[in-house]
Amino acid sequence: MPLPRRRKAGTIAWILLVLASMVLIGYGIWRAGWHIGLPAQGEQEEVWVGRAYIFAGCALSLAAAVWSGARDNRAWVTACVGLPGILVGWATMDSPYDLKRHLAAVVAFPMALAGIAEVIRVRGRRQRD
């Protein structure tokens, strides 16, 4: 496969990895919900299932950030792509039953989308010289 074609395929795969991480984190947050106090036993199990999805999405987000650095994307793109994994993962570990992870996702998701938009804008070319 020629180099420009391989670069384009890698860019598409990277974008899909970032989007998959955001989907997993979003589904985990939706599944876990939020509670003011300690929920009942059945709802606690749902929170733990949601946390598993959140942590899987955070791992994908961090993997996308590492891959972004290896692809020679700009530093802010790499940071923005890894931000959902760091912020939402930290908020979920800090307190699994409150609204903090929702707020972290509201802050981090637009930044990750901005990183994707930058890579699309430069058409997947190397951004560092």
Side-chain angles (χ1 to χ4, degrees), residues 55-79:
F55 289 141
C58 291
L60 287 181
S61 175
L62 295 175
V66 169
W67 191 6
S68 177
R71 291 176 41 84
D72 287 334
N73 288 336
R74 293 189 174 129
W76 73 266
V77 171
T78 302

Side-chain angles (χ1 to χ4, degrees), residues 1 5 10 39 47 69 113 116 127:
M1 185 183 292
R5 206 172 201 185
V47 170
L113 291 175
I116 290 173
Q127 297 177 25

Side-chain angles (χ1 to χ4, degrees), residues 26-100:
Y27 180 71
I29 288 173
W30 175 76
R31 182 97 187 240
W34 68 280
H35 308 280
I36 294 175
L38 186 65
Q41 184 68 27
E43 292 173 350
Q44 285 181 9
E45 291 174 11
E46 283 295 314
V47 170
W48 285 99
V49 170
R51 281 178 52 138
Y53 282 106
I54 291 170
F55 289 141
C58 291
L60 287 181
S61 175
L62 295 175
V66 169
W67 191 6
S68 177
R71 291 176 41 84
D72 287 334
N73 288 336
R74 293 189 174 129
W76 73 266
V77 171
T78 302
C80 285
V81 167
L83 209 55
I86 293 170
L87 287 181
V88 178
W90 168 76
T92 302
M93 285 192 302
D94 183 47
S95 52
Y97 300 114
D98 67 357
L99 195 60
K100 200 180 305 181

Side-chain angles (χ1 to χ4, degrees), residues 24 35 38 51 69-70 83-84 92 101 106 119-120 125-126:
L24 276 175
H35 308 280
L38 186 65
R51 281 178 52 138
L83 209 55
T92 302
R101 63 178 168 249
V106 166
V119 170
I120 291 172
R125 293 186 301 267
R126 287 182 180 255

